[in-house]
Amino acid sequence: MLKTMDIKQEELDGLLERVRSNELQEGDYELIKALVETVCYLSSLSDEKAASIKRLLKMLFGSKTEKTEKIKTDAGSQQAKRKKKKKGHGKNGAKAYKGAKKVKVSHQTLKSGNDCPACVKGKLYGEKPPARIIRITGGAPFQATVYELQRLRCNLCGQIFKAQAPDHVGKDKYDAKSGAMLALLKYGSGVPLYRLGKLQASLGMPLPPSTQWEIIESVADKIHPVYTELIRHAAQGRVMYNDDTTMKILSLMKETDKAAKRKGMFTSGILSECDVGKIALFFTGHNHAGENLSRILQKRDSRKDPPIQMCDALSRNLPKDFESILCNCLVHGRRHFVDIMDDFPEECSHVINTLAKIYAHDQQAKEQNLDDDQRLRYHQTHSRPLMRALKKWLQAKHENKEVEPNSSLGKAISYMLKHWEALTRFLEVPGAPLDNNLCEQLLKKSILHRKNSLFYKTEHGAYIGDLFMSLIHTCNLQQINPFEYLSILQNHSSEIFQNPAAWLPWTFKDTIGQKSQETADNP
C-alpha cells in the first residue's frame, strides 16, 4: 500500500536544489522514494483507467472486432493488415430461397419429344436443369381477408338467409401461421409488439399489441410440453456451454424493493451439444447460469459421465450440486490483453499471436474432419509446446518482477496463470472446446429482445419468451425452418401433450411422414 507523506512546496524546492548541486542530506532518500512511488502509482492508475474506459465504451457501443488481423499484434505502431475483400456481389442465388414458392413454367409451344425447330433433325428432351428467375413481392407482415357473406331477406316473412363461408376459411380469426410469425418477429427478430401494431395500423390492417400478446400466449399454451422435453434432451448432452446477461422483470423488481435475498435478474443461455445436434435453452429470473445448469442436470441420466462444461471463470457459472469437467474460455483470457494492447504492445502481441496459432491449429483440425480423439492428439502435438512456452513466459514476467502485479498487464497475466488448467483443458480432454463463443452468440438473441423491448412485465411473460427463444434458436442451429415448425406444432397440439418427444425439431418431420403413411394405408 502506498505510504502517505505530507510534503510542502518549500521542501520540494530544497530537494531539487540539493540534487542539482549534488549535496543530498539525510532523509532525502525517503523523500525521493516517496515521489517515485507516487509517480508509479499514478501511472498504473492511468493505465487502469484507460482500460476501464475502453471496456465501458465496448459495453455501450459494442466492439468492432477482436480478430487478430484487425488489431496491432506487432511491437510499435505498425498498422494491422487489412483483410482482403471477398470476391462476389453479395447477392443470393435461387438455391438460397429454400422457403420460396416454386412455380413450374412449361414452354409455351414446345415439349419433350418434339422435333428441334432450329435444325429440324434433332429431338428435344427435358433433362436440362430449368432456368430460374426470382420475383419478390412486398406487403404487410400480416394480411387480412374480409369475406362478405351475402344475406337475403324475405319481403313477406322477414326470414334472413346468409351465405355459407368457404370451407377453407376455418373458424379461427387468426391462423397458426399468424401465431408462428408473431413469435418469430418478437422473440426471433426483436420487434416489439407496439412497433408492429403501429405498422399494421398504418397499412390498414390493425393488430393491436394486446391482441398480439393474446395470440402469442395461446400458441405457448398449445406447445409448451415441447420446451420441457427439450430441456430433458439437453440434459443428456456431452458438452454444455453456459453464461448469462442481465434482464429486467418488472414484477420481480417490485418484490425486490420489499425484501429479497438477491436483487439481480438475469437471462441464462445454455447450449448443449447432443447426439441429435445443438440445443439452445434460455432461463430468465433471479438464478445465475450455474444454478440454471443445475436445474437441467437434475434431468440427466445418472449413468452418464459428467458433461464437459465451458464457461468463463465466474464462480456463479458453476453448478454446485453436480460434477462437470470444467473448461474456461480462452477468449476471455485473451480479451484482457486486447484491452491493454495500446499500453503494452510488445507483451500483448506475444500472447495474442501465440493464441492465434492455437486457433489456427483448431481450424486445421476442423478442416481435416478429425474426431475428438484425433483432434486431441493433434493439439497435443502442435499446440501443447506453444502453450507450455507461453506459460513459462508469463511466469517469468512475474518471477523476474518485470511486471507490476497490480498493473493492468499484471492482472491479465495473473488471470491466465490462475485459470491455466481450465483454460488448457482442450489439451487433456477429447472434445473440450477452446472458448465460450457459441454461448455468447446464443445470448445475442436475448440481448436483441432487451435492446428493443427493454424488459419483461411478469415472470409468466419471461417464461414465454424463454420458450420461444429456445425453440427458435434450436431450429436455427439445426437448420430447420422455425416458422414451419411453430405452425405445425399448433396444428398437432393434442398429440404434443400425449408424446412431446415425437414433436421436437429433429423428430417432427418423421412423425408427420409416419402419420401420412398410416393415413394412406388406412384410408
Side-chain angles (χ1 to χ4, degrees):
M1 185 175 179
L2 189 65
K3 184 179 179 180
T4 303
M5 293 182 64
D6 294 329
I7 304 175
K8 297 180 180 179
Q9 185 63 42
E10 294 80 5
E11 295 176 328
L12 288 175
D13 294 339
L15 175 63
L16 290 174
E17 181 61 29
R18 291 192 295 275
V19 170
R20 187 186 65 80
S21 59
N22 199 20
E23 296 177 356
L24 295 178
Q25 299 177 359
E26 184 178 355
D28 286 346
Y29 170 77
E30 293 295 331
L31 192 58
I32 294 173
K33 180 182 177 184
L35 292 173
V36 171
E37 288 178 346
T38 301
V39 171
C40 294
Y41 178 69
L42 292 176
S43 178
S44 65
L45 283 182
S46 177
D47 292 342
E48 290 185 12
K49 181 181 178 182
S52 299
I53 291 174
K54 288 179 183 178
R55 287 193 290 269
L56 177 61
L57 291 174
K58 287 182 181 180
M59 292 174 62
L60 294 174
F61 305 108
S63 176
K64 292 183 178 179
T65 182
E66 289 185 4
K67 292 184 178 180
T68 304
E69 64 267 17
K70 290 290 185 180
I71 59 176
K72 298 176 184 177
T73 54
D74 296 320
S77 60
Q78 181 182 355
Q79 294 183 352
K81 297 179 180 178
R82 292 186 177 180
K83 190 175 182 180
K84 293 183 179 179
K85 188 177 180 181
K86 294 182 179 180
K87 295 181 180 179
H89 43 63
K91 297 179 181 179
N92 292 314
K95 292 183 179 180
Y97 293 86
K98 297 179 181 179
K101 181 180 178 181
K102 304 295 191 302
V103 178
K104 294 185 177 181
V105 181
S106 300
H107 198 282
Q108 287 77 9
T109 59
L110 300 174
K111 62 181 181 179
S112 181
N114 286 166
D115 294 332
C116 175
C119 69
V120 183
K121 298 179 181 179
K123 296 288 185 180
L124 302 179
Y125 61 96
E127 297 179 3
K128 191 73 174 175
R132 294 181 175 91
I133 59 173
I134 304 168
R135 296 294 180 267
I136 300 176
T137 59
F142 296 89
Q143 299 285 346
T145 303
V146 179
Y147 293 90
E148 298 181 343
L149 307 180
Q150 185 182 23
R151 294 192 298 174
L152 301 174
R153 181 177 182 275
C154 175
N155 65 348
L156 183 60
C157 67
Q159 183 71 26
I160 297 176
F161 301 89
K162 185 177 71 173
Q164 295 295 320
D167 293 337
H168 68 272
V169 172
K171 297 180 180 180
D172 298 327
K173 183 176 181 180
Y174 303 98
D175 66 358
K177 291 183 178 180
S178 63
M181 182 54 68
L182 269 173
L184 277 172
L185 287 173
K186 179 166 178 60
Y187 300 110
S189 301
V191 180
L193 300 184
Y194 77 91
R195 191 178 298 167
L196 180 59
K198 287 183 178 181
L199 174 62
Q200 286 292 132
S202 67
L203 299 176
M205 282 170 279
L207 189 62
S210 58
T211 303
Q212 295 177 48
W213 173 249
E214 290 174 1
I215 297 171
I216 290 174
E217 193 173 27
S218 67
V219 174
D221 289 341
K222 295 176 182 177
I223 68 174
H224 68 84
V226 174
Y227 178 47
T228 304
E229 186 66 18
L230 200 67
I231 295 173
R232 190 185 71 80
H233 272 76
Q236 317 309 318
R238 197 173 65 84
V239 182
M240 294 187 176
Y241 306 75
N242 68 317
D243 201 355
D244 54 27
T245 185
T246 57
M247 177 61 73
K248 293 180 180 178
I249 303 176
L250 296 188
S251 62
L252 290 184
M253 292 177 68
K254 294 178 181 178
E255 294 177 6
T256 54
D257 289 341
K258 299 177 182 177
K261 294 181 180 179
R262 182 182 295 166
K263 295 185 178 181
M265 286 161 278
F266 315 90
T267 290
S268 298
I270 299 175
L271 189 142
S272 176
E273 290 186 352
C274 306
D275 295 337
V276 296
K278 294 183 176 69
I279 297 176
L281 295 174
F282 293 85
F283 301 96
T284 302
H286 281 309
N287 289 341
H288 292 304
E291 294 165 334
N292 286 318
L293 183 57
S294 294
R295 169 186 170 185
I296 294 177
L297 293 178
Q298 288 176 354
K299 303 179 183 296
R300 186 176 179 85
D301 188 343
S302 58
R303 295 168 295 182
K304 286 182 170 291
D305 295 330
I308 298 172
Q309 182 196 356
M310 167 54 72
C311 61
D312 59 44
L314 288 176
S315 59
R316 70 188 193 188
N317 290 329
L318 303 179
K320 297 180 180 179
D321 302 326
F322 295 91
E323 184 181 356
S324 66
I325 302 173
L326 179 63
C327 306
N328 282 158
C329 178
L330 206 56
V331 168
H332 276 77
R334 176 184 182 274
R335 191 170 295 148
H336 288 87
F337 293 93
V338 173
D339 290 341
I340 58 175
M341 183 70 189
D342 293 339
D343 300 321
F344 305 95
E346 185 176 353
E347 294 86 350
C348 293
S349 295
H350 180 73
V351 175
I352 293 171
N353 287 332
T354 301
L355 296 180
K357 295 175 183 177
I358 304 300
Y359 274 87
H361 293 157
D362 199 59
Q363 182 61 32
Q364 290 169 6
K366 292 178 182 177
E367 293 173 354
Q368 296 176 25
N369 294 321
L370 303 182
D371 61 28
D372 290 342
D373 291 326
Q374 292 172 331
R375 172 180 174 269
L376 175 62
R377 291 193 294 269
Y378 188 88
H379 271 302
Q380 288 176 339
T381 302
H382 298 87
S383 300
R384 177 172 280 171
L386 292 172
M387 295 304 290
R388 283 178 175 172
L390 178 61
K391 184 179 182 181
K392 290 181 180 179
W393 183 86
L394 294 172
Q395 290 174 332
K397 290 293 180 182
H398 267 321
E399 293 171 359
N400 298 335
K401 298 183 179 180
E402 299 177 24
V403 177
E404 171 61 39
N406 292 326
S407 68
S408 53
L409 178 60
K411 291 178 179 178
I413 293 175
S414 297
Y415 178 91
M416 290 284 287
L417 293 175
K418 181 179 179 181
H419 304 288
W420 188 262
E421 184 177 353
L423 287 170
T424 57
R425 195 75 69 189
F426 67 96
L427 298 174
E428 307 296 337
V429 179
L434 297 182
D435 54 53
N436 203 30
N437 286 355
L438 286 177
C439 191
E440 293 193 0
Q441 294 166 11
L442 175 71
L443 283 174
K444 286 183 178 180
K445 193 169 290 291
S446 175
I447 294 171
L448 179 65
H449 177 269
R450 183 182 68 201
K451 287 171 64 177
N452 288 278
S453 296
L454 304 181
F455 52 80
Y456 290 111
K457 187 176 181 180
T458 63
E459 289 182 90
H460 176 62
Y463 169 80
I464 290 178
D466 294 338
L467 181 154
F468 281 116
M469 287 187 196
S470 299
L471 294 179
I472 291 169
H473 202 66
T474 298
C475 286
N476 291 337
L477 289 171
Q478 303 205 14
Q479 297 183 342
I480 294 169
N481 187 330
F483 175 71
E484 176 189 5
Y485 177 62
L486 293 176
S487 300
I488 290 175
L489 287 186
Q490 295 173 68
N491 294 326
H492 297 85
S493 179
S494 59
E495 299 164 72
I496 288 173
F497 278 82
Q498 295 174 4
N499 184 17
W503 297 96
L504 292 167
W506 56 89
T507 60
F508 82 102
K509 288 186 178 179
D510 292 337
T511 303
I512 292 174
Q514 184 178 356
K515 290 176 67 65
S516 300
Q517 185 63 41
E518 291 175 355
T519 303
D521 294 340
N522 302 294

